[in-house]
Amino acid sequence: MRSPSEVRLQLRDHHPAPEPFVAEVLKGLRDTPKHISPMYFYDALGSELFDRICELKEYYPTRTELRILEQHGNDIARCIGDDALLVEFGSGSSMKTRLLLDRLPSLAAYVPVDISRSHLLNAAHSISESYPHLEVMPVCADFTRPFMLPTPTRTVSRVVVFFPGSTIGNFDPPAALNLLRVMRRVAGPTGGLVVGTDLVKDVNVLTRAYDDAEGVTAAFNLNVLRRFNSEMGANFDLDQFRHRAVWNEAASRIEMHLVSQRQQTVVLAGETLEFEADEAIVTEHCHKYTVAGFARQAARAGWKAHAHWLDDRAYFSVNYLDAG
Ligand code: AVJ
């Protein structure tokens, strides 16, 4: 027998075909410096490893943001208002969303958007079970590209985009600006944005968060090569690449690298790639903002900073912005 939530849930699938992925990966690995999109981290194993990262004592962002959402959830809910359509970009397990949903009994519908179909469907089912009266409309898509917003049954007062986790930090300034514009378009002229951004702080705190003692982040980083091996017919030797996390002061970001341990040749999708000894693949940039710096950036995309909430140590911020 199917559960009621299975009957009601309909997945909108805008997930691109695998071919463009291979082309994109090859393009990045032919560039100087070599780079790949952090989006590729999140296959099933990568998503599991990320969940483990969130539990690490060194990795403060997740628990800090959760605490802010808990402490200031009522204020945030008041900003979102009644009968809104909540659209979450990169919803993952939708764990943080629950803190908002608990305080938004009149929400018109919830639209989780994620590139990982399995994660998305599991999360959508689980949310649907916990909130039986809420219309849950999952969209499988790469949220950096325009996608169609589903039309909920109920009348919507306004569209509010939810983008927690400081995922915005993964985007270089021009890409972040583009994404903020995509969100502005999705939210429309009366919409809002709830976005979590990690803040600039002590360099040691920052680097430890991305290079933990247990090596979970290293495994998370290296998993992308394993994924290329299994999904793109690559032959990366995982023992010949090493995880590295460095703070780039000028760009205000942590950079995650995979460093080739020797000169080596790797084949991916039938194409040959050369690596020098010590040559790095840039796998992720994690930009750290100031509250004012982020507001300035968002303003260029048509967002007006309305309110923000911080933890005691000012490690992390949750920001509410209005279209306007
Ligand atoms: C999911 C992008 C917010 O940048 O902190 C965690 C990803 N990478 N550890 C981050 C990540 C390494 C994370 N975001």
Side-chain angles (χ1 to χ4, degrees):
M1 214 181 87
R2 300 203 300 168
S3 76
S5 65
E6 273 177 276
V7 177
R8 282 196 301 121
L9 272 179
Q10 186 204 334
L11 174 78
R12 273 88 182 163
D13 203 335
H14 305 299
H15 193 56
E19 283 75 19
F21 279 85
V22 175
E24 214 173 86
V25 168
L26 274 172
K27 188 161 165 271
L29 291 176
R30 289 228 182 80
D31 221 352
T32 317
K34 291 181 169 66
H35 61 90
I36 54 174
S37 164
M39 181 167 83
Y40 299 117
F41 285 142
Y42 301 95
D43 65 348
L45 180 56
S47 298
E48 255 171 55
L49 286 167
F50 180 67
D51 289 346
R52 279 185 58 198
I53 287 176
C54 295
E55 303 286 325
L56 295 169
K57 64 175 189 319
E58 295 98 331
Y59 194 74
Y60 61 85
T62 308
R63 73 178 65 91
T64 308
E65 183 178 40
L66 279 169
R67 208 173 304 133
I68 297 171
L69 291 172
E70 255 160 31
Q71 247 178 33
H72 301 285
N74 290 338
D75 290 343
I76 300 168
R78 215 167 297 126
C79 287
I80 294 170
D82 289 329
D83 307 301
L85 177 68
L86 192 68
V87 183
E88 182 168 3
F89 277 44
S91 47
S93 56
S94 293
M95 210 239 299
K96 292 165 186 163
T97 324
R98 290 171 179 270
L99 292 171
L100 292 185
L101 295 180
D102 288 343
R103 292 159 169 108
L104 292 166
S106 77
L107 198 66
Y110 169 52
V111 179
V113 184
D114 205 279
I115 195 148
S116 163
R117 191 179 290 102
S118 56
H119 240 56
L120 176 70
L121 276 175
N122 286 339
H125 278 121
S126 149
I127 290 287
S128 213
E129 258 160 39
S130 305
Y131 304 88
H133 299 293
L134 178 65
E135 189 171 14
V136 180
M137 313 178 89
V139 174
C140 186
D142 170 359
F143 59 70
T144 61
R145 298 168 199 195
F147 60 90
M148 279 259 284
L149 211 54
T151 310
T153 312
R154 281 186 41 202
T155 307
V156 169
S157 64
R158 54 212 295 265
V159 177
V160 176
V161 173
F162 183 41
F163 196 40
S166 197
T167 308
I168 188 82
N170 269 180
F171 296 80
D172 289 342
L177 187 60
N178 175 65
L179 181 57
L180 286 163
R181 286 184 173 136
V182 169
M183 291 172 167
R184 175 64 181 69
R185 213 175 309 136
V186 166
T190 60
L193 169 63
V194 180
V195 56
T197 58
D198 196 19
L199 300 175
V200 174
K201 64 182 64 63
D202 182 276
V203 176
N204 294 313
V205 173
L206 283 171
T207 45
R208 269 199 294 272
Y210 292 88
D211 197 5
D212 62 279
E214 266 181 76
V216 181
T217 308
F220 172 74
N221 199 4
L222 283 158
N223 174 59
V224 79
L225 301 183
R226 186 196 312 276
R227 183 180 185 186
F228 291 167
N229 286 352
S230 69
E231 290 181 27
M232 297 179 188
N235 65 348
F236 283 99
D237 180 347
L238 269 62
D239 291 329
Q240 294 302 332
F241 287 86
R242 201 177 50 80
H243 166 69
R244 178 171 76 191
V246 287
W247 171 247
N248 179 335
E249 174 74 40
S252 192
R253 68 190 181 208
I254 288 283
E255 300 187 3
M256 293 228 303
H257 298 163
L258 287 168
V259 185
S260 177
Q261 293 305 93
R262 56 173 168 87
Q263 193 196 334
Q264 54 184 320
T265 301
V266 174
V267 176
L268 189 148
E271 306 274 329
T272 301
L273 299 162
E274 303 290 346
F275 289 84
E276 303 291 335
D278 291 324
E279 184 178 358
I281 307 172
V282 179
T283 53
E284 190 175 39
H285 285 165
C286 311
H287 290 82
K288 306 304 171 186
Y289 286 95
T290 60
V291 170
F294 181 71
R296 261 197 310 278
Q297 168 85 317
R300 296 178 59 203
W303 289 109
K304 204 161 69 216
H306 178 84
H308 68 267
W309 302 272
L310 307 176
D311 57 294
D312 301 340
R313 298 181 292 189
Y315 272 12
F316 200 95
S317 70
V318 174
N319 307 267
Y320 190 88
L321 303 103
D322 279 312

